[in-house]
Amino acid sequence: MEAAAGRRPPDEVTAMLAVASAATWIGLDRALRSPEVEYGESAAMAKVGLVEDERLSRLVAACSPDGRRRQSAVADPVMRADEVLLPALVLRTADWVPQVREPARRSLAVALQSAGAAALSAAAGAAVAIASWERGGPALEAVAGALRAAPDEVLASVRGHRDAGVRRLAYRSWLASGRTRYEEVLRAALGERDVVCQMQCAEWLVSDALRHRRADVLEKLLSRGSARSGVEALTALVELGRPEAGVAHLADRSAMMRATAQWAARRAGRVPAAIYRDALASERAPGRVRALVAGLGECGTRQDADVLLPFLEDASPRVRAEAVRAVRRLGGPSAPIVGMLADPAPVVVRAVKRALRGEPDAVPASRLWDLLAADSPPHVRLGAYEQLRGMDTWTRVQVDLHLLAARDAELGGRARTDLIEWSRRGAATAYRMPSEETALRLGQLIDMAETVLGAEQAGRLRWLLGIG
């Protein structure tokens, strides 16, 4: 406001506006309509002999709470020609007053015709930011149209914008412009850091390759692209009569890629499970073994669970974890998995916990209490604790109190939170009281943990358990 009124040099303010983000422009628009700023503007303009800055005065008017001033500002030919003020013009296209937004939309259409790369980027940022507003759609459409018509070098510059939303808009406009080449789009599909832009390019490549039956383009995308673009490419190859291409990707690390490859292999007359069995008999690389184990678990039969049992003892923790998931998915026995709760690798123990989630009695309680001992590794203790919590109500309360009474540094915080949560919500569904022996044991643990729980919470637990 002071710079607009001539009380401060305008250069610094103008320089900041030239690089301001869309969020800054939206915040500035709101701030300039606040009563405090309006009062400050009146006081500043009352100074005699000061020279106003034309650009900033126009910006203040475009963001004024006075609708007539906004209307006059957006219709000003000078504002249409000032690229620094283009984001403000974009915001006014979503103005709540029709007499402001309609001329603003006409002015924006004119301004975008001559806008350079920097101005288009700024306008795109503002348009993307207000796209979800009730009246924000026309600005986005106008900017997208300007991007489609922009020279190649300008559009390439906007595609490298730091804001993901602007890049996505630029990519959509580029792909719809009709001026793209296979090599450029393929390079973007393989190298663009934003996954949405990657997929836009991949979908364009797949659609165009299907139309022109360019299997070579699809094969490049399949072999070098991301999993999501690979799925699109492989699906297209199957449509072109090349389902055998899926066999080479049955051991992909991505589950969705494996699923697509299995479908393609079946279309080619192959049995994916048989391929997995044969490959597991000779493969030694841990990464591929893991993917093969996962694949067989996804499409094998109950008998294949026996094929996978030896991989529960593999040297690679990730292979063991994958084998746990695959064996259980195929309905294999839980007994070999139960002993893996003490596995030295946390990733394996997490897989075992998930595999046994629906079987609270799969592991004997005595074994779990042994694993909960203080000398067990932290991830083993956590696994044992969670299994005990899932067994039944009174075991859950007992293990929580046990950890609090023992002042357990690793699990005490979890136990306290869980116990308080149970007393507030879970206790209402405990329709049977504990046996006399269990109640006595829990009462002793409450006494030992009272200093940690607090007298009020300890008293509430005694009342809930009916032990006075």
Side-chain angles (χ1 to χ4, degrees):
M1 291 301 304
E2 292 183 341
R7 297 174 62 185
R8 288 177 180 269
D11 296 346
E12 184 179 359
V13 176
T14 303
M16 288 189 290
L17 289 175
V19 295
S21 67
T24 299
W25 278 102
I26 292 172
L28 179 63
D29 179 43
R30 291 172 178 166
L32 286 173
R33 293 197 303 273
S34 67
E36 296 83 359
V37 171
E38 186 178 8
Y39 174 79
E41 179 187 10
S42 301
M45 298 307 181
K47 301 289 184 180
V48 180
L50 297 176
V51 179
E52 298 180 16
D53 182 82
E54 185 179 14
R55 168 183 281 164
L56 297 181
S57 296
R58 196 172 297 112
L59 171 60
V60 170
C63 300
S64 169
D66 186 335
R68 292 183 179 85
R69 292 188 65 192
R70 297 199 307 277
Q71 182 181 8
S72 175
V74 298
D76 191 328
V78 180
M79 188 164 184
R80 291 198 295 265
D82 194 329
E83 292 190 346
V84 173
L85 301 182
L86 196 52
L89 194 55
V90 170
L91 296 182
R92 291 284 67 81
T93 64
D95 200 279
W96 59 97
V97 179
Q99 292 83 352
V100 176
R101 67 173 177 268
E102 294 305 330
R105 290 172 183 176
R106 291 192 293 270
S107 294
L108 179 63
V110 174
L112 289 173
Q113 291 175 2
S114 58
L120 264 180
S121 294
V128 168
I130 68 170
S132 61
W133 293 8
E134 183 178 353
R135 294 171 289 272
L140 189 67
E141 293 174 8
V143 172
L147 287 171
R148 288 193 296 271
D152 291 344
E153 61 274 12
V154 171
L155 194 47
S157 174
V158 183
R159 290 203 306 274
H161 197 276
R162 65 182 182 277
D163 182 86
V166 173
R167 285 208 309 280
R168 293 168 186 176
L169 176 62
Y171 268 99
R172 285 198 302 272
S173 303
W174 176 51
L175 295 172
S177 69
R179 305 197 308 270
T180 52
R181 294 192 300 270
Y182 271 114
E183 297 76 11
E184 290 180 312
V185 182
L186 181 60
R187 189 160 52 247
L190 299 178
E192 166 60 41
R193 63 184 182 275
D194 182 76
V195 294
V196 174
C197 296
Q198 273 186 15
M199 283 307 300
Q200 288 176 0
C201 293
E203 288 168 358
W204 184 93
L205 283 169
V206 168
S207 176
D208 205 69
L210 276 173
R211 189 162 51 251
H212 296 97
R213 303 192 68 81
R214 290 286 304 272
D216 58 321
V217 174
L218 296 173
E219 287 170 350
K220 289 179 183 177
L221 189 61
L222 177 59
S223 62
R224 296 161 55 193
S226 66
R228 293 182 62 185
S229 59
V231 167
E232 297 287 337
L234 181 54
T235 303
L237 281 170
V238 173
E239 290 186 39
L240 291 180
R242 298 279 301 279
E244 67 280 359
V247 175
H249 298 272
L250 286 170
D252 197 275
R253 290 183 300 174
S254 165
M256 63 179 176
M257 188 70 233
R258 287 196 304 271
T260 308
Q262 291 161 15
W263 163 74
R266 293 189 189 98
R267 292 288 294 267
R270 307 289 296 276
V271 180
I275 298 174
Y276 284 126
R277 290 186 213 107
D278 293 342
L280 281 171
S282 57
E283 186 61 58
R284 294 294 178 268
R288 276 188 61 81
V289 170
R290 179 188 175 195
L292 292 169
V293 167
L296 186 55
E298 290 158 357
C299 64
T301 64
R302 172 62 183 80
Q303 288 71 31
D304 288 316
D306 297 331
V307 176
L308 295 172
L309 288 177
F311 293 97
L312 295 174
E313 302 175 4
D314 194 272
S316 168
R318 294 198 174 276
V319 171
R320 296 199 301 275
E322 200 64 65
V324 168
R325 289 188 283 268
V327 167
R328 294 304 290 145
R329 189 181 294 122
L330 295 176
S334 60
I337 294 174
V338 167
M340 299 175 72
L341 272 172
D343 194 280
V347 67
V348 176
V349 175
R350 287 195 296 270
V352 173
K353 286 190 299 183
R354 286 191 290 269
L356 299 178
R357 187 167 291 162
E359 301 179 51
D361 299 325
V363 190
S366 58
R367 174 59 176 158
L368 292 173
W369 283 105
D370 290 341
L371 294 175
L372 190 63
D375 57 347
S376 296
H379 67 280
V380 173
R381 299 188 70 229
L382 176 60
Y385 167 65
E386 293 185 347
Q387 284 294 119
L388 284 166
R389 278 186 61 238
M391 293 189 76
D392 59 70
T393 297
W394 305 123
T395 302
R396 173 184 178 181
V397 173
Q398 181 181 348
V399 70
D400 284 339
L401 287 171
H402 167 80
L403 292 170
L404 291 174
R407 309 295 192 270
D408 193 287
E410 293 174 352
L411 299 174
R414 289 175 180 264
R416 189 175 190 280
T417 300
D418 183 62
L419 193 59
I420 292 174
E421 176 68 16
W422 175 82
S423 67
R424 289 176 178 171
R425 293 181 175 85
T429 61
Y431 299 115
R432 292 186 179 182
M433 298 301 290
S435 65
E436 185 176 345
E437 179 183 356
T438 301
L440 178 62
R441 183 165 60 249
L442 295 177
Q444 293 171 344
L445 288 171
I446 293 172
D447 294 340
M448 296 168 64
E450 185 165 355
T451 56
V452 179
L453 283 169
E456 182 179 351
Q457 184 63 33
R460 177 175 175 79
L461 285 172
R462 292 188 183 98
W463 178 76
L464 288 172
L465 300 173
I467 54 178

